[in-house]
Amino acid sequence: MSLDSQQNAHHSQILEFKSSTFSVPVLVLVGNDVIAIEQQLQEKIHLAPEFFKNSPLLLDLQELNKNALDIDITGLTRLIRKLDLLPIGIRGGTKKQTQHALDLGIPAHSSHNVTASSVSQAQQAPDPAPVAPAIAPATLMITHPVRSGQRIYASGDLVILAQVSAGAEILAEGNIHVYGSLRGRALAGVQGNTEARIFCSDLQAELISIAGNYKISEDLNGAVLHQPVQIYLQDHTLVIKDI
Amino acid sequence: MARVIVVTSGKGGVGKTTTSAAIAMGLAKKGHKTAVIDFDVGLRNLDLIMGCERRVVYDFVNVINGEATLNQALIRDKNCNLLYILPASQTRDKDALSQEGVGKILDELKKDFKYIVCDSPAGIEKGAHLAMYFADDAFIVTNPEVSSVRDSDRMLGILSSKSRRAELNEEPIKEYLLLSRYSPDRVKLGEMLSVDDVQEILSLHLLGVIPESKSVLNASNSGMPVILDEKSDAGQAYADIVARYLGEDKPHRFIDEKKGLFGMFFGGK
Ligand SMILES: Nc1ncnc2c1ncn2[C@@H]1O[C@H](COP(=O)(O)OP(=O)(O)OP(=O)(O)O)[C@@H](O)[C@H]1O
Ligand SMILES: [Mg+2]
């Protein structure tokens, strides 16, 4: 194509389709007890209220259907919205569940790029479109202090070259490094990566969490406070070691 | 280029209005044409501290609503003819201010003034948001106590994410710490945070320490910004702050305890 014809084709474009990958929390349901779901959701939200507030959410019903359990999509959606989460998609649902979601304006997503164990699903919704191959997310680098009330989310590793104030919240799907005082909340491996670690040069955190396993400041003993430490998971328990 | 300075804190009653009046006067006395705006709609008191409350005809809200021109509403200070005050309305509620309206007024002021000082109301709601939104520089007024420091930190977060500069991805607002109502004796007794404690929590450039001082109350009772009381410690602290802001190199004062007569005679640290 010549340069000219390209320009002509463009003359009054006011929109453009782009493909982009972004990360969204996925709610994987294993059981269908609505009361238990609400309670456990509330507990999770309580750990990182800023993060979850008005967060988009993808419903994953694969495990549920594996266990041959059904759930009322309308009721579930209402419950989720009530907790200030915004369902934007469903995957792994039965035909009926998927149609039900579509009626509520919630599109179906394919789940073929999820985990290795989830490939052989008979009841999966048909793939709407091929999904772009996942690219390893880049490290997010923050050079200014993270202040009270601020929240930072990294879909890969998170490196902070300043302090994290009390009342601030930093979250990463990968590792977290803080080269300053860590006084706020730090949650690594928020999508379930149990290999994620937190490194910081001065531990004074209000809360630390890896893949949902957390300790609050009260649980931190004096020997690790104000120390440079790394934090990792061992047998579902957080280990805090000096570095 | 004109610069817009917001004087803000989050927490109430820490000395924002006292500071706004003092530094606006200080900048004007140094020869810079300066306007100071009261953003505390409904609770105006900048005009009291500036001693011009009986000359208020029109206010900030009148100008925003097009009921008066900026020139009609600006009050020239009685002590310094380079200083003008734009008072807040006592009778309107906070919703009278709009971002568009404030932006327009600031743009107009920028044509004529070197510095525009915005006295923010307490809190992090609309009024405080509008006061900081267009700022180039922020003076964070903090008292040496945990709740004030925490609120300042919160305000710093808002400055760095919700201001016009942040939204347009421009160079961030320059942030300065003003530690006010500081009392070295009470720090020593452990009743107050020290300068170092506050610095460690906020990690912010310290523009100056203003001591707890009776002269502040005297000044506001007589409707004279405390900086005009050149003999007072608080007045001198504000004069230092203005000088440092303008790039002069002044060593910090008022951080250590006053030496009594004994200390003065026998020196020592
Ligand atoms: N350095 C100081 N020494 C003693 N008193 C002070 C000092 N600075 C301020 N004050 C007093 O503290 C009170 C509050 O001051 P000011 O009105 O300046 O605070 P503010 O932050 O503007 O309050 P608001 O949040 O209500 O607008 C006033 O009574 C004032 O006289
Ligand atoms: Mg005030």
Side-chain angles (χ1 to χ4, degrees):
Chain A
M1 204 194 281
S2 83
L3 218 101
D4 277 343
S5 68
Q6 243 176 12
Q7 277 171 345
N8 284 340
H10 272 186
H11 55 87
S12 58
Q13 271 300 341
I14 55 162
L15 58 78
E16 182 180 10
F17 272 111
K18 277 194 168 167
S19 153
S20 116
T21 346
F22 49 91
S23 64
V24 175
V26 179
L27 180 65
V28 182
L29 291 181
V30 189
N32 63 353
D33 176 351
V34 183
I35 296 179
I37 292 175
E38 172 161 16
Q39 197 187 351
Q40 293 180 18
L41 255 182
Q42 269 169 343
E43 282 168 18
K44 292 277 185 212
I45 291 171
H46 187 68
L47 286 179
E50 284 290 328
F51 169 59
F52 284 113
K53 186 149 177 66
N54 296 329
S55 166
L57 192 75
L58 192 70
L59 296 173
D60 188 331
L61 303 184
Q62 224 158 82
E63 294 299 311
L64 194 76
N65 290 320
K66 229 191 250 175
N67 302 336
L69 296 170
D70 198 11
I71 193 158
D72 167 30
I73 301 293
T74 312
L76 179 63
T77 307
R78 197 182 306 128
L79 164 75
I80 290 171
R81 293 220 166 102
K82 194 179 85 188
L83 296 173
D84 286 335
L85 292 162
L86 303 166
I88 57 150
I90 184 170
R91 72 182 183 197
T94 60
K95 268 216 173 71
K96 193 177 125 234
Q97 289 164 341
T98 306
Q99 185 55 50
H100 208 140
L102 267 175
D103 292 343
L104 295 167
I106 301 173
H109 290 254
S110 120
S111 34
H112 79 186
N113 64 334
V114 197
T115 52
S117 67
S118 64
V119 181
S120 58
Q121 282 304 306
Q123 294 167 311
Q124 254 178 37
D127 284 358
V131 177
I135 306 156
T139 297
L140 178 62
M141 177 110 70
I142 304 287
T143 54
H144 54 80
V146 186
R147 302 289 184 181
S148 173
Q150 288 187 306
R151 199 197 115 226
I152 303 229
Y153 188 96
S155 44
D157 285 359
L158 177 58
V159 176
I160 296 184
L161 300 176
Q163 65 172 12
V164 177
S165 296
E169 194 163 58
I170 53 174
L171 306 102
E173 290 175 25
N175 305 304
I176 290 178
H177 304 252
V178 181
Y179 299 99
S181 297
L182 170 56
R183 301 194 179 93
R185 295 162 160 243
L187 297 87
V190 286
Q191 296 293 332
N193 179 3
T194 52
E195 299 297 308
R197 293 184 181 214
I198 298 172
F199 306 85
C200 68
S201 54
D202 172 18
L203 178 68
Q204 307 178 35
E206 293 171 321
L207 177 142
I208 44 174
S209 163
I210 291 172
N213 301 272
Y214 68 94
K215 275 194 161 117
I216 53 174
S217 119
E218 240 179 37
D219 307 333
L220 303 177
N221 73 44
V224 295
L225 280 178
H226 298 280
Q227 299 302 314
V229 296
Q230 64 158 319
I231 301 154
Y232 54 93
L233 265 186
Q234 204 167 53
D235 306 325
H236 303 288
T237 317
L238 284 184
V239 180
I240 307 178
K241 270 245 166 68
D242 47 335
I243 37 176
Chain B
M1 258 308 268
R3 281 196 88 79
V4 177
I5 303 172
V6 62
V7 179
T8 187
S9 67
K11 194 172 157 65
V14 297
K16 293 179 292 296
T17 302
T18 304
T19 299
S20 301
I23 60 152
M25 177 63 80
L27 289 166
K29 298 262 294 177
K30 289 259 184 188
H32 304 289
K33 193 167 180 193
T34 301
V36 55
I37 308 180
D38 191 348
F39 274 78
D40 211 342
V41 174
L43 281 174
R44 66 169 220 229
N45 52 29
L46 179 70
D47 49 341
L48 286 173
I49 294 193
M50 303 293 304
C52 66
E53 73 279 8
R54 286 184 303 181
R55 289 192 285 146
V56 175
V57 183
Y58 296 109
D59 58 52
F60 197 7
V61 175
N62 291 134
V63 183
I64 285 192
N65 292 346
E67 295 152 5
T69 65
L70 200 47
N71 279 334
Q72 288 174 308
L74 284 170
I75 302 173
R76 180 185 279 197
D77 185 79
K78 59 186 184 220
N79 293 299
C80 181
N81 59 13
L82 287 177
L83 178 59
Y84 289 78
I85 299 119
L86 184 55
S89 166
Q90 185 79 284
T91 50
R92 317 287 183 115
D93 68 89
K94 296 189 282 291
D95 294 328
L97 298 183
S98 67
Q99 181 157 308
E100 199 198 345
V102 172
K104 256 184 151 155
I105 292 190
L106 290 176
D107 281 343
E108 211 176 320
L109 287 170
K110 278 184 185 176
K111 290 183 204 147
D112 200 22
F113 288 88
K114 181 76 212 303
Y115 292 104
I116 300 154
V117 178
C118 303
D119 178 20
S120 173
I124 53 173
E125 304 303 325
K126 190 171 172 196
H129 185 270
L130 286 175
M132 70 85 198
Y133 185 75
F134 296 97
D136 302 305
D137 299 315
F139 287 12
I140 309 292
V141 182
T142 303
N143 291 164
E145 42 156 308
V146 174
S147 64
S148 174
V149 173
R150 177 70 73 93
D151 284 3
S152 293
D153 193 69
R154 183 83 213 274
M155 186 45 80
L156 286 162
I158 293 171
L159 290 174
S160 66
S161 51
K162 305 260 167 71
S163 62
R164 190 186 59 95
R165 282 176 174 267
E167 284 179 5
L168 299 181
N169 239 327
E170 290 178 4
E171 195 186 317
I173 294 178
K174 282 211 177 66
E175 303 156 342
Y176 301 91
L177 174 63
L178 279 71
L179 191 54
S180 186
R181 311 201 65 164
Y182 196 75
S183 161
D185 297 329
R186 296 191 55 196
V187 172
K188 202 168 180 209
L189 291 172
E191 295 171 357
M192 270 186 181
L193 299 175
S194 70
V195 178
D196 289 344
D197 294 337
V198 177
Q199 282 281 75
E200 155 139 26
I201 299 173
L202 291 180
S203 48
L204 208 58
H205 176 75
L206 179 69
L207 196 58
V209 172
I210 304 115
E212 170 77 26
S213 167
K214 280 203 192 66
S215 59
V216 172
L217 189 63
N218 294 339
S220 68
N221 283 339
S222 55
M224 300 256 284
V226 68
I227 198 168
L228 293 174
D229 183 355
E230 286 165 16
K231 289 202 196 69
S232 70
D233 47 0
Q236 291 173 16
Y238 279 119
D240 284 4
I241 283 168
V242 170
R244 281 188 206 109
Y245 174 70
L246 293 174
E248 286 174 46
D249 193 14
K250 294 249 174 196
H252 283 286
R253 296 195 268 171
F254 312 109
I255 292 178
D256 297 318
E257 296 156 84
K258 281 188 211 104
K259 292 189 186 112
L261 269 185
F262 186 83
M264 280 167 63
F265 284 127
F266 295 94
K269 289 208 197 172

